[in-house]
Amino acid sequence: MSVTIIGIESSCDDTSAAVIRDGILLSNVIASQSVHEEYGGVVPELASRAHQQNIVPVVDAAIRRAGITKTDLSAIAFTRGPGLLGSLLVGTSFAKGLSLGLRVPIIDVNHLHGHVLSHFVRRGENDRVPRFPFICLLVSGGNSQIVLVRDYNDMEILGQTIDDAAGEAFDKCAKVMGLPYPGGPHIDRLAAEGDPKAFRFAKPHIPGLDYSFSGLKTSFLYTLRDNLRNDPDFIVKNQADLAASLQRTIIEILMEKLDLAVRETGVKTVAIGGGVSANSGVRDAVERYCYAHGLEAFIPERAFTTDNAAMVAIAGYFKYLDKQFCAYSEAPYARVTL
Ligand code: KG4
């Protein structure tokens, strides 16, 4: 009998629902929230309210586009955390209600787990998927982690940021340059026209596989401050070079630890995930690194780099196969590791 899972994602500012049948994606609907743009960051209360408005139409559309009916669902998977608590509550409560109505089980999904497993979302039978064990570089606005993936439900964090995430470094530096939120995609765009060697920023000296990005941020700020004293138009004149140099430094920091992790574990496959894995420079660097070292690279489709319910549905699918269900008494969690 086939297994049909609906995934529901509401951890931050995207309301999403997706249907997966036997590991194949049937639909993936995302309603992004533009309400936060004028505030330069996600406003939690506004995010919860927007989820509340979006969740019914988004779930409805996912079911319709999948060409199924509600009664075809085997289980309902939802993001339980980490994320904004008010936002998570909307998805969690909705999943519980739908599950009670349909008399099918609920499956809680760790959002980070979902990002890692997004590489197993297939559009067709012949799509390629990673072989275990592999390393996943998980880089987003809230996390920067090197994850050793032994199996669908067996992962270990080998290293992670001790302060800011890579996405935060992009966003915060972009913000002081006067770029809109989130700044990562703007840095990416500007970097394409700049000289990546124009400026030098500080790089961390953290032992092991952990990351740090706060020193880079401070060094970026000092460069702006020192130069703005002599030239008030410094940022405008040097936008592309600043973006390219910042991006190069972030990539170097990421790749140095990724290389160490590959050498320490001896894995033959490397994957990337999370919002920052949409960055052209990061994608390119990982692809080149894997090619040079004879490794297999898994670079996600851009649609699967940011928050989406397809990854929640696939993570739910593998938990379903392992019979890992969730009790109705379970509440969402704002913070959690893998
Ligand atoms: O995974 P995600 O959607 O959610 C959070 O964890 O917040 O990641 C969002 C992050 C933001 O920091 C955003 O600036 C970054 O991903 N991002 C990028 C790019 N696209 C998104 N950073 C660099 N280059 C990009 N093209």
Side-chain angles (χ1 to χ4, degrees):
M1 223 179 89
S2 65
V3 175
T4 310
I5 308 284
I6 187 163
I8 295 173
E9 158 64 34
S10 71
S11 64
C12 190
D13 59 342
D14 294 301
T15 321
S16 180
V19 176
I20 280 187
R21 174 169 283 171
D22 298 332
I24 307 285
L25 185 67
L26 300 184
S27 66
N28 185 31
V29 178
I30 303 177
S32 298
Q33 304 176 358
S34 53
V35 62
H36 309 286
E37 271 161 22
E38 61 182 291
Y39 300 98
V42 177
V43 185
E45 176 61 20
L46 295 181
S48 315
R49 291 179 192 208
H51 283 304
Q52 193 84 318
Q53 283 183 334
N54 292 341
I55 194 130
V56 172
V58 164
V59 168
D60 200 43
I63 290 174
R64 254 186 303 113
R65 286 188 204 170
I68 62 160
T69 61
K70 290 194 289 283
T71 51
D72 293 325
L73 293 172
S74 315
I76 295 150
F78 65 97
T79 304
R80 185 170 162 205
L84 301 171
L85 211 49
S87 294
L88 289 163
L89 265 170
V90 176
T92 305
S93 312
F94 188 87
K96 288 178 183 174
L98 189 61
S99 141
L100 283 166
L102 296 174
R103 295 171 188 274
V104 293
I106 41 171
I107 300 169
D108 58 326
V109 170
N110 178 328
H111 182 79
L112 304 173
H113 205 135
H115 270 304
V116 172
L117 295 180
S118 63
H119 292 281
F120 294 92
V121 175
R122 290 177 302 146
R123 294 187 188 276
E125 294 290 346
N126 298 325
D127 283 4
R128 166 183 97 94
V129 294
R131 266 172 300 179
F132 301 113
F134 67 92
I135 278 194
C136 184
L137 176 66
L138 195 55
V139 272
S140 68
N143 296 279
S144 302
Q145 300 180 329
I146 295 179
V147 184
L148 175 63
V149 191
R150 296 194 190 89
D151 206 338
Y152 302 115
N153 297 320
D154 181 7
M155 316 182 180
E156 183 188 345
I157 297 172
L158 301 181
Q160 58 189 322
T161 183
I162 57 166
D163 42 55
D164 288 353
E168 258 177 297
F170 272 110
D171 295 342
K172 288 179 178 168
C173 293
K175 189 167 185 175
V176 292
M177 283 173 70
L179 298 170
Y181 176 87
H186 297 281
I187 298 284
D188 194 356
R189 176 178 48 81
L190 287 167
E193 281 136 43
D195 173 7
K197 294 270 165 69
F199 298 98
R200 282 176 68 88
F201 304 119
K203 289 210 282 183
H205 298 282
I206 309 285
L209 295 174
D210 284 337
Y211 284 118
S212 165
F213 288 98
S214 70
L216 164 63
K217 185 182 64 187
T218 309
S219 141
F220 187 85
L221 280 175
Y222 283 176
T223 301
L224 295 192
R225 187 197 59 183
D226 295 347
N227 285 283
L228 281 168
R229 280 199 191 117
N230 304 324
D231 180 4
D233 293 330
F234 173 76
I235 297 179
V236 182
K237 286 184 194 157
N238 295 281
Q239 246 191 353
D241 285 351
L242 284 166
S245 304
L246 173 70
Q247 182 164 299
R248 171 186 58 86
T249 315
I250 293 177
I251 294 170
E252 283 175 6
I253 297 172
L254 289 173
M255 294 309 293
E256 200 176 296
K257 295 295 172 92
L258 180 64
D259 174 49
L260 194 59
V262 167
R263 283 190 282 121
E264 279 184 6
T265 56
V267 297
K268 295 281 172 256
T269 304
V270 171
I272 54 173
V276 176
S277 69
N279 182 272
S280 335
V282 171
R283 296 166 80 89
D284 213 42
V286 172
E287 201 125 41
R288 276 172 206 242
Y289 172 81
C290 288
Y291 184 74
H293 293 81
L295 308 169
E296 212 184 342
F298 281 83
I299 314 288
E301 273 180 40
R302 280 205 161 78
F304 293 150
T305 58
T306 44
D307 294 346
N308 65 87
M311 67 186 202
V312 179
I314 196 76
Y317 171 70
F318 291 120
K319 283 186 94 171
Y320 182 94
L321 297 183
D322 264 2
K323 297 193 171 47
Q324 293 185 35
F325 302 111
C326 171
Y328 289 116
S329 53
E330 301 291 5
Y333 35 57
R335 290 187 172 278
V336 71
T337 57
L338 273 169

